[in-house]
Amino acid sequence: MLTVGVEEEFLLLEPDGAVAPVSAGVLGVTSGDDRVRHEYTAYQLETVSGVHTRLDRLHDELAELRRTAARAAELAGARLVAAGAPPFRRGPLETLTDDPRYRRLADRFPGATAAAAGTCGCHVHVGVADRDLAVGVLGRLRPWLAPLLALTANSPCADGADSGYGSFRYEARRHWPTFRAPEVWTDARDYDRAIEALISGGTALDIGGVHLLARLSGRYPTIEVRIADTCLSVHDTVLLAGIVRALVATLIDDIRRGRIAETTPSALEVEDDLAAAARHGLVGRGPRPGRPSVAIADQLRVLLRKVTPALGESGDAVAVHSRLGWLGRHGTGAERQRSLLRHDPRPDAFVAALAGHTVPHPSRLY
């Protein structure tokens, strides 16, 4: 069974919604736990799970990490919030974490840094040690990125109001020159040449600064799928991890059996689908010049049919389909955020509600 791990990025907010640049103080409290780390701005944190084969154990660790980070944030006078972008004041550049690399990034890409400051993603790592095989999977992930984004969109609010996007984070991060879908490369050597060209050409600062929506990790023997907003609840994160692992397993099987990819969208079609998913979520329709448009929800249904055998083999089918049913009744993170904002638009009430959804109750919820 393929292994899976997750990195989650979070916001630190004042009770009134202002960003709280107190990550140094939070990390002072959690200094014995290296799974809680600083992020790009001083009002963000990142948690990093261990390597898992069972989704229930991944769930338990992610829940523990959220509770640990939330308790430390409270001691620093802040709320831990799982949202893809700051819903109120975003914070100036001087709130960057005091890290030389981050300063170099801000100097090299000032426009992208300003636009994307504080955006938070969820990165799912799936263990694939064969780099040639992993590169083959990257190319086949392209048509499935839009439904994954729509399913996990969780940043509808900006400047205290509905931005009109389900994933405002995606729109903000498009300013980064490497924030795009992976290409179809022939093998790992071809992939490495492409990454090196981005760095040597000044489009990326280093390997970590290549912000592909799916890539080979520069640190681990994994495929890293980076398309998702950080998820509002642990359940949402584990749902994403289960689907991504099943998709990678399915694509590996396709490659090994010599199956031709069902669809090979062009770069423009992938970008159009992603734009539709970011703005309209699952109700969006990706434009198709000269052909009927395709609903993102239909793409998700095709994706789920494709990965169902792999979900069965991993024992995840019941949990994944149960959570999908829940989402069908209650909505994605973006839809739930909008509901909370309509219910009580006061910043303190909205932040409190988001923080409540972010941190699970200590009892077992999976």
Side-chain angles (χ1 to χ4, degrees), residues 47-325:
T47 64
V48 181
S49 82
V51 178
H52 294 273
T53 57
R54 288 176 47 178
L55 291 188
D56 57 345
R57 291 182 178 174
L58 174 64
H59 169 278
D60 289 348
E61 184 180 20
L62 292 176
E64 174 205 349
L65 285 169
R66 287 190 179 208
R67 287 193 292 267
T68 297
R71 285 193 295 266
E74 187 175 358
L75 290 174
R79 295 289 193 105
L80 186 80
V81 168
F88 297 102
R89 291 187 292 276
R90 304 181 67 192
L93 282 180
E94 52 263 33
T95 59
L96 286 179
T97 296
D98 187 17
D99 181 287
R101 179 176 177 274
Y102 292 156
R103 294 294 173 186
R104 291 198 301 274
L105 280 170
D107 291 341
R108 175 83 66 86
F109 306 105
T113 301
T119 55
C120 296
C122 176
H123 305 158
V124 177
H125 289 257
V126 180
V128 182
D130 184 327
R131 295 182 80 246
D132 286 333
L133 180 62
V135 167
V137 170
L138 288 181
R140 291 176 180 242
L141 281 171
R142 289 160 52 86
W144 311 117
L145 294 172
L148 290 175
L149 174 61
L151 185 67
T152 59
N154 185 40
S155 49
C157 303
D159 299 323
D162 192 328
S163 68
Y165 288 87
S167 176
F168 183 76
R169 164 186 168 268
Y170 176 82
E171 185 62 21
R173 291 194 66 83
R174 290 178 71 179
H175 292 82
W176 283 103
T178 58
F179 189 74
R180 62 176 190 248
E183 299 175 19
V184 179
W185 293 287
T186 56
D187 52 27
R189 181 175 295 182
D190 191 24
Y191 172 88
D192 291 339
R193 281 196 295 263
I195 300 302
E196 179 54 39
L198 292 173
I199 297 170
S200 63
T203 307
L205 184 66
D206 49 30
I207 290 177
V210 177
H211 299 293
L212 295 176
L213 304 180
R215 69 184 186 186
L216 303 190
S217 171
R219 294 176 291 173
Y220 312 116
T222 64
I223 291 171
E224 182 183 2
V225 178
R226 303 164 49 86
I227 183 60
D229 286 2
T230 204
C231 296
L232 185 56
S233 76
V234 175
H235 284 304
D236 297 341
T237 304
V238 175
L239 171 65
L240 171 68
I243 292 174
V244 168
R245 178 171 65 172
L247 177 57
V248 170
T250 301
L251 295 177
I252 287 174
D253 189 58
D254 286 348
I255 292 171
R256 286 175 169 165
R257 293 178 182 272
R259 298 189 185 108
I260 298 174
E262 299 98 322
T263 177
T264 54
S266 67
L268 180 59
E269 287 174 334
V270 172
E271 290 176 6
D272 285 344
D273 281 352
L274 286 165
R279 179 173 283 278
H280 302 295
L282 291 172
V283 300
R285 301 185 71 86
R288 291 285 188 273
R291 292 187 289 159
S293 61
V294 179
I296 304 299
D298 290 339
Q299 294 181 26
L300 178 61
R301 281 189 283 271
V302 173
L303 167 59
L304 293 172
R305 285 198 300 270
K306 182 176 181 65
V307 304
T308 290
L311 289 172
E313 290 176 7
S314 64
D316 299 333
V318 172
V320 166
H321 286 287
S322 174
R323 185 59 184 180
L324 285 168

Side-chain angles (χ1 to χ4, degrees), residues 151 236 239 322-332 335-336:
L151 185 67
D236 297 341
L239 171 65
S322 174
R323 185 59 184 180
L324 285 168
W326 190 95
L327 284 181
R329 297 187 298 274
H330 298 278
T332 63
E335 291 162 344
R336 279 174 272 153

